[in-house]
Amino acid sequence: MRIGIACGGTGGHIFPGLAVAQLLTNRKHDVVLWLAGRDVESVSTSGWIGSVVSIGGKGLPVGFSLRSFTAIWSLFCAVAKSWLRMRKQPPDAIVAMGGYGSVGPVIAAYILGIPVILHEANVIPGRAIEFLSKFAKIVAISFDISMQYIKHPKVVFTGFPLRQDINKNVSEGLIATKYFTVLIMGGSQGAHALNEIAVSAICRLHLHGIPVQVIHLSGVKDETIVRKAYENTGVPCVVLGFLKDMARAYSQADLVIARSGAATCAELIARRIPAVLVPLPTAMRNHQLANARAVQKSKGVVVMEEKDLDPERLSEFIKGCYRNPEILDKMKEALKNIPENNATERLADIVEEVVQDKTV
């Protein structure tokens, strides 16, 4: 089978698409990644040895402005490029992970009569999935609660496809394991507000004699200033703008402080790591808050909204976890109660079934 995976955009689209692509490749299928041409894509897919098609495209802004015309034109061009490529080398199916990077390949596939499978990562569907669902054979979801938000005759719960290496055993971590280790991350693009609050909280703990060290994935823009803040205070740290091998960071984390994108939530559950989730307040349709609340039901994470968060509150919580290890032990046990869903295998199975026209 020849399968196209449209997963351009952010890490939240790329990594689950890449996970499915790797598995389908292992099953001897010919897989092509369809990307949007962003810088983060080249870093995230550096280990991919299969074919890649870059079609461009831009996301539509909220509301109507001059930027809307540019975005609409770019999406039209993405559809045209996708159609021309698929007409020459038609895939047997297109799997789209959402975001504007899915628009061109999905519409082109529909025009050419190529079956489409969508995957929605978040609790609340994005605009792309909502719009493109009318062209899809199946819409797969990461959270079962998403059923109530998607109007489609065939919605299937699969879970979130994870990278194969996310649970691997790590022989060498990122930092010497001396102290209580906090992993801070804002997603593939970083998170400036979260960086500021977390840096202040960690430095505050250090100055009050709490033996804490930090692995901080700051995003490229904040990498230098975050590193300097820790070094000036004397906090043992590793600061990186971006990290592809997340298993190395997760293996050393006693506690995670992070945004609540779907990929982060799924990885924390898989690794059973207690976390403070700080949803991005500007996320479209407030989907990160919905993700965080869904995971919070397990009692394995704590949700702190950014509007209510300051360095003092965050530092007090971290200090409480350090002084009372049983807090984190209970959170870990709670996360273990969330069943594994084998999402990558499920989604790959669905793709094969759609192409073979067995159950759809």
Side-chain angles (χ1 to χ4, degrees):
M1 297 178 186
R2 183 182 293 114
I3 309 297
I5 309 285
C7 57
T10 67
H13 302 115
I14 299 165
F15 290 125
L18 199 56
V20 177
Q22 293 283 10
L23 180 56
L24 288 170
T25 299
N26 293 343
R27 293 183 180 183
K28 309 302 181 183
H29 300 305
D30 181 11
V31 181
V32 178
L33 297 184
W34 291 71
L35 304 177
R38 296 188 61 178
D39 291 341
V40 69
E41 295 172 349
S42 60
V43 177
S44 303
T45 61
S46 58
W48 173 251
I49 60 173
S51 300
V52 175
V53 176
S54 182
I55 56 163
K58 294 181 179 179
L60 287 170
V62 177
F64 193 79
S65 66
L66 291 176
R67 288 177 55 209
S68 301
F69 292 103
T70 303
I72 290 170
W73 175 250
S74 73
L75 292 174
F76 175 80
C77 291
V79 173
K81 289 178 183 178
S82 300
W83 182 82
L84 289 170
R85 174 64 183 249
M86 289 183 195
R87 193 180 180 196
K88 292 179 181 178
Q89 295 180 306
D92 294 303
I94 285 288
V95 184
M97 311 309 291
Y100 65 87
S102 295
V103 174
V106 167
I107 293 178
Y110 180 77
I111 293 171
L112 293 170
I114 298 166
V116 172
I117 301 100
L118 299 180
H119 182 272
E120 174 54 61
N122 299 294
V123 169
I124 300 176
R127 292 182 297 173
I129 292 292
E130 188 174 72
F131 170 68
L132 296 174
S133 62
K134 62 177 68 72
F135 306 120
K137 291 277 188 180
I138 287 180
V139 180
I141 55 177
S142 296
F143 296 88
D144 53 8
I145 193 175
S146 298
M147 292 273 187
Q148 63 184 288
Y149 298 109
I150 298 177
K151 297 179 181 179
H152 191 278
K154 189 73 172 179
V155 180
V156 179
F157 170 72
T158 59
F160 187 94
L162 288 171
R163 292 172 272 181
Q164 292 178 336
D165 63 353
I166 207 69
N167 278 315
K168 70 179 182 181
N169 294 321
V170 176
S171 59
E172 183 180 357
L174 293 169
I175 192 170
T177 307
K178 295 181 179 180
Y179 307 117
F180 186 84
T181 304
V182 180
L183 169 61
I184 301 166
M185 52 188 190
S188 60
Q189 301 175 85
H192 181 69
L194 181 58
N195 286 342
E196 290 186 322
I197 295 170
V199 167
S200 295
I202 295 295
C203 290
R204 178 188 179 94
L205 288 168
H206 180 77
L207 293 173
H208 283 79
I210 303 298
V212 62
Q213 62 186 21
V214 62
I215 300 170
H216 196 137
L217 309 183
S218 61
V220 176
K221 290 182 180 179
D222 283 0
E223 183 177 356
T224 300
I225 192 170
V226 168
R227 184 180 295 110
K228 285 184 178 180
Y230 289 133
E231 290 176 348
N232 290 341
T233 311
V235 176
C237 69
V238 169
V239 179
L240 300 169
F242 179 80
L243 179 65
K244 184 179 179 183
D245 188 0
M246 285 300 302
R248 293 184 67 194
Y250 286 140
S251 68
Q252 294 187 280
D254 294 301
L255 176 69
V256 171
I257 300 167
R259 293 301 195 193
S260 48
T264 297
C265 292
E267 289 171 2
L268 292 173
I269 292 170
R271 295 290 311 218
R272 316 304 190 196
I273 305 175
V276 176
L277 296 180
V278 186
L280 178 66
T282 57
M284 188 68 65
R285 300 178 177 180
N286 213 9
H287 70 262
Q288 286 208 6
L289 179 60
N291 293 349
R293 295 298 186 203
V295 182
Q296 186 184 32
K297 290 179 181 178
S298 70
K299 298 184 179 180
V301 303
V302 172
V303 178
M304 296 185 183
E305 293 191 55
E306 190 174 296
K307 63 183 176 64
D308 302 321
L309 189 61
D310 56 40
E312 181 178 2
R313 183 186 178 196
L314 184 57
S315 64
E316 286 299 311
F317 181 81
I318 298 171
K319 182 168 66 175
C321 291
Y322 166 72
R323 289 181 171 173
N324 302 282
E326 63 273 12
I327 294 175
L328 297 183
D329 290 339
K330 289 179 180 179
M331 293 172 74
K332 288 178 184 178
E333 287 302 313
L335 290 170
K336 289 179 181 178
N337 292 328
I338 301 176
E340 296 183 5
N341 52 48
N342 299 315
T344 309
E345 289 80 3
R346 288 188 183 186
L347 190 53
D349 290 345
I350 288 171
V351 174
E352 292 175 333
E353 290 168 2
V354 167
V355 174
Q356 294 167 3
D357 199 27
K358 287 182 177 179
T359 60
V360 180

